[in-house]
Amino acid sequence: MPGETRGARRCRPHRAEWNVYLLAGRTGNGEFLVVPLDSTGLETAPARRLSFAEFLGEVVAAEQGLPRWVWEDTSRLYPLLLAAGVRVQRGHDLRLCHAILRQSALTSTSELATAAPSRWDSGPAAQPEAPEPHSTLFDLGFADDGLDEDPAEDDAQAEFRRQLTAVAASAEPGRLRLLLAAESAGALIAAEMQFAGLPWCTEVHDRLLTRELGPRVAPGLRPERLEDLARRIRLELGDPQVNPDSQQDLLRALQRAGLTMSSTRAWELQKLEHPAIAPLLEYKKLARLLSANGWYWMDTWIVDGRFHPEYVPGGVVTGRWATRGGGALQLPRQVRGAVIADDGWKLVVADAAQLEPRILAALSADTAMATAGRGTDLYAGIVASGVVETRDHAKVAMLGAMYGATTGESGRLLPRLARAYPRALGLTETAARAGERGEAVTTRLGRSSPRPGESWLATQAQAQAYHPGATDADERRARSQARDWGRFTRNFIVQGSAAEWALCWMAEIRRELRLLQAPEGTVPGRSPVFTHAPHLVFFLHDEVIVHTPAGLAEEVEQIVVRAAATAGRHLFGDFPVDFLLTVATVDSYDQAK
DNA sequence: ACTCACAGCGCC
DNA sequence: AGGGCGCTGTGAGT
């Protein structure tokens, strides 16, 4: 467990914590049921049934008092508000928070965690009904908004109270409160970023594709460059039929050409000497660009100069976000040049440098490792401390420690790292051993890893000594499986805590951005709700992009940097670890880094 | 026609 | 014996 007790003071009480509104759901005839609550989840006034217009008015009026809006599912409700021009500052997402508390080791004895599965356990955000990626944004009809009709009226309130009770009774209520607030803020941000979209210039994208692939052709046809390469591949392999898009076909052709290989992976091809290899590698690269981010992708996902991916907070077990559609978390560097700020605007691109090692240093209170990263590149700091010779060695060794490498260069360097940073490496080892035993591990703020499934446990039990049926093969399989789970928990604790830091970072950026006003005259044509002022438009695990009027870019940079330090304090109190950022104000995404 | 697993590769 | 993902195309199954 990462749980040293330092930093307890980071848990500041939130202003206006008593001011809570519950949206209990919608009634059969489409009314919104709103209940004012106090901080223990008890009603302070009778529930009211409001039309959507009345509800919007209520939200706008109530926002003056910085309330926390409690509702079942931000991803379903908040887009309705955004489309109507209404933003909220604080939320509590019952579905996301339930998932955390259900699983957390810190609340394992709570009523919430011990109850039978209920509708609150229905898993990640429900799929949008509409197949059109943008319909939830622009064609909001109330008939299919996905909000529950006629829920048990007190159900949401009861769930909220169960959550409050579980947190209050836990050993770390402050951390959990912060986690739930951060997760909920993330849900608001996710909806806002989807709404705003990432500025995307289709002309630049098209030029880029044409330069690489040749002019656009009808779907199903190969663009010129790909066709040329396919021809060369067939020529060099002496096989006029081979289809380079088919692994099986390709593998057989390569073997017939005398190459011994078991797959067609690029890194395996690279090791071989054959005139077909170079065009084949080039073909794979370009075919990937065409299929993943080509013209079809552009037509599907770019609407009105904006890329609107759906972010899925809590979509990954570690607490990282996932996305649905568009592959937003895998935007290849090749196409980032098409991410371009509006006229008179800039992109502030910020990325947390060596985030996970810094998180590990803080989690384990490894002062030596934290010192290596103070005010400098952490890997360079490790080299400067004489632990290893090169930055690359430092990086490979650190990644090995966090991912569980045992062989190769990383495995060889690990002992040196362990001597220099025994606390940090001790924490990853402890997390791995817990996983190998089938136990859960818990992040800094209280998100616990899932327990292994039935078949995992059965395999382990089967291989226990003295089990009459156990064979050598069973034991090997069990050990290998145990180590796999150990690598998962080893990484979980670092990746999950880093995800928490990132949520706090973004929430803080968002909070401060709200206070900035766009200068007069910089408002472009599109200014629904909040997109006329600096706003977050992209998030990628340890990196954010803010779209801002050029005149405010410097202030935005300061906000982003300040927010990183604040996030560090929220998670780790006074522990002296730096969270360094690489920040750049640019016109297009590819100019950063 | 539709679903599914897999290979492969993009991102962190 | 390297953690977490999403997406595409292929090819096998229904």
Side-chain angles (χ1 to χ4, degrees):
Chain A
M1 207 97 1
E4 264 71 27
T5 48
R6 59 193 317 143
R9 66 154 195 80
R10 82 197 166 290
C11 313
R12 308 172 301 183
H14 288 286
R15 194 151 68 85
E17 191 71 67
W18 59 90
N19 187 359
V20 179
Y21 281 76
L22 174 77
L23 175 66
R26 299 187 60 208
T27 62
N29 55 6
E31 289 170 323
F32 289 73
L33 202 59
V34 178
V35 192
L37 303 178
D38 65 16
S39 61
T40 66
L42 291 173
E43 294 172 32
T44 58
R48 278 177 301 148
R49 295 160 183 273
L50 306 174
S51 70
F52 184 59
E54 290 167 338
F55 174 57
L56 290 176
E58 181 78 17
V59 171
V60 171
E63 275 298 295
Q64 308 299 320
L66 198 60
R68 188 176 292 284
W69 291 92
V70 179
W71 51 50
E72 176 169 344
D73 186 345
T74 306
S75 70
R76 290 188 160 200
L77 177 73
Y78 197 33
L80 299 176
L81 300 190
L82 290 172
V86 173
R87 266 182 107 191
V88 304
Q89 296 169 84
R90 308 198 309 167
H92 179 100
D93 187 297
L94 288 169
R95 181 178 56 77
L96 291 172
C97 293
H98 180 93
I100 289 170
L101 297 174
R102 165 69 87 176
Q103 193 77 5
S104 175
L106 297 174
T107 51
S108 59
T109 59
S110 65
E111 182 198 339
L112 185 153
T114 53
S118 67
R119 74 187 189 88
W120 298 102
D121 296 290
S122 54
Q127 293 286 340
E129 292 79 9
E132 293 293 305
H134 317 296
S135 58
T136 51
L137 291 179
F138 304 113
D139 310 318
L140 292 164
F142 293 120
D144 63 348
D145 61 20
L147 293 175
D148 283 333
E149 288 196 7
D150 205 15
E153 284 196 8
D154 65 348
D155 190 39
Q157 188 181 355
E159 171 60 21
F160 184 47
R161 300 206 69 207
R162 278 192 296 273
Q163 295 189 5
L164 293 174
T165 303
V167 169
S170 80
E172 292 282 359
R175 291 184 185 189
L176 281 173
R177 266 183 214 116
L178 180 57
L179 176 55
L180 300 189
E183 184 86 341
S184 299
L188 296 175
I189 293 166
E192 288 169 0
M193 289 200 307
Q194 182 183 8
F195 179 84
L198 181 66
W200 197 283
C201 179
T202 51
E203 288 79 14
V204 170
H205 190 178
D206 176 63
R207 275 205 297 278
L208 186 152
L209 292 174
T210 303
R211 192 184 67 222
E212 297 288 323
L213 300 165
R216 179 171 189 171
V217 295
L221 295 179
R222 285 197 182 93
E224 191 182 305
R225 285 271 292 132
L226 278 179
E227 198 55 69
D228 290 347
L229 288 164
R231 211 175 296 123
R232 273 185 60 201
I233 292 163
R234 295 194 190 103
L235 194 70
E236 300 292 358
L237 289 176
D239 182 340
Q241 300 299 323
V242 66
N243 170 13
D245 291 319
S246 162
Q247 303 106 294
Q248 297 180 15
D249 215 19
L250 192 57
L251 189 57
R252 277 193 297 268
L254 289 164
Q255 284 164 346
R256 270 199 303 276
L259 297 168
T260 50
M261 53 195 322
S262 53
S263 83
T264 63
R265 290 190 192 92
W267 61 266
E268 198 162 338
L269 289 169
Q270 267 154 12
K271 295 185 297 195
L272 300 170
E273 290 278 348
H274 190 281
I277 297 300
L280 182 52
L281 289 172
E282 182 70 3
Y283 181 92
K284 280 172 160 286
K285 208 175 86 193
L286 294 179
R288 168 80 191 186
L289 173 64
L290 175 65
S291 68
N293 298 99
W295 289 282
Y296 181 75
W297 179 90
M298 193 173 90
D299 289 347
T300 307
W301 293 104
I302 309 302
V303 174
D304 211 11
R306 294 288 190 267
F307 174 35
H308 296 273
E310 183 186 0
Y311 296 91
V312 187
V316 178
V317 283
T318 57
R320 275 188 174 181
W321 289 12
T323 57
R324 205 144 45 204
L329 300 185
Q330 303 129 256
L331 272 189
R333 296 185 179 282
Q334 276 170 304
V335 302
R336 293 185 181 182
V339 179
I340 296 179
D342 289 353
D343 279 347
W345 287 56
K346 294 283 183 183
L347 300 173
V348 173
V349 181
D351 140 350
Q354 307 95 42
L355 176 60
E356 294 195 349
R358 293 173 192 276
I359 291 288
L360 173 59
L363 276 179
S364 59
D366 194 313
T367 314
M369 186 178 279
T371 302
R374 182 117 356 104
T376 180
D377 180 293
L378 184 136
Y379 299 135
I382 291 177
V383 174
S385 308
V387 179
V388 294
E389 279 72 46
T390 67
R391 184 181 188 279
D392 201 50
H393 280 182
K395 182 174 179 175
V396 163
M398 274 305 315
L399 292 177
M402 293 184 298
Y403 292 157
T406 54
T407 60
E409 192 168 49
S410 180
R412 276 204 314 280
L413 293 165
L414 272 177
R416 303 169 66 174
L417 211 58
R419 270 197 302 280
Y421 309 114
R423 299 199 62 143
L425 280 278
L427 186 139
T428 60
E429 283 309 308
T430 303
R433 296 293 95 78
E436 289 169 8
R437 292 190 301 267
E439 296 165 9
V441 297
T442 300
T443 59
R444 179 65 177 183
L445 295 185
R447 194 186 305 260
S448 294
S449 61
R451 280 56 167 183
E454 291 292 322
S455 72
W456 191 97
L457 296 169
T459 302
Q460 296 301 310
Q462 169 77 20
Q464 290 299 315
Y466 315 123
H467 194 290
T471 64
D472 283 357
D474 287 336
E475 280 183 39
R476 272 197 306 278
R477 198 158 52 94
R479 266 201 295 275
S480 152
Q481 180 197 261
R483 279 194 299 269
D484 286 348
W485 200 259
R487 278 194 299 278
F488 167 60
T489 53
R490 173 200 294 272
N491 186 251
F492 181 96
I493 200 162
V494 178
Q495 187 184 117
S497 299
E500 290 166 350
W501 179 90
L503 282 175
C504 291
W505 182 39
M506 267 201 300
E508 194 63 22
I509 291 170
R510 174 180 185 264
R511 200 180 62 76
E512 285 217 45
L513 286 181
R514 290 187 71 98
L515 306 172
L516 281 185
Q517 293 299 312
E520 216 56 42
T522 60
V523 178
R526 48 185 317 132
S527 53
V529 197
F530 60 94
T531 50
H532 62 289
H535 58 283
L536 286 158
V537 289
F538 193 61
F539 170 56
L540 187 55
H541 306 316
D542 59 0
E543 178 176 350
V544 297
I545 302 181
V546 177
H547 194 213
T548 178
L552 291 173
E554 258 182 61
E555 278 185 79
V556 170
E557 283 203 14
Q558 287 164 17
I559 284 173
V560 166
V561 171
R562 207 158 49 225
T566 304
R569 276 194 305 277
H570 280 179
L571 262 77
F572 301 111
D574 293 330
F575 183 74
V577 59
D578 279 357
F579 288 98
L580 288 196
L581 302 182
T582 308
V583 191
T585 295
V586 294
D587 294 310
S588 71
Y589 191 12
D590 63 337
Q591 293 165 359
K593 285 205 245 194

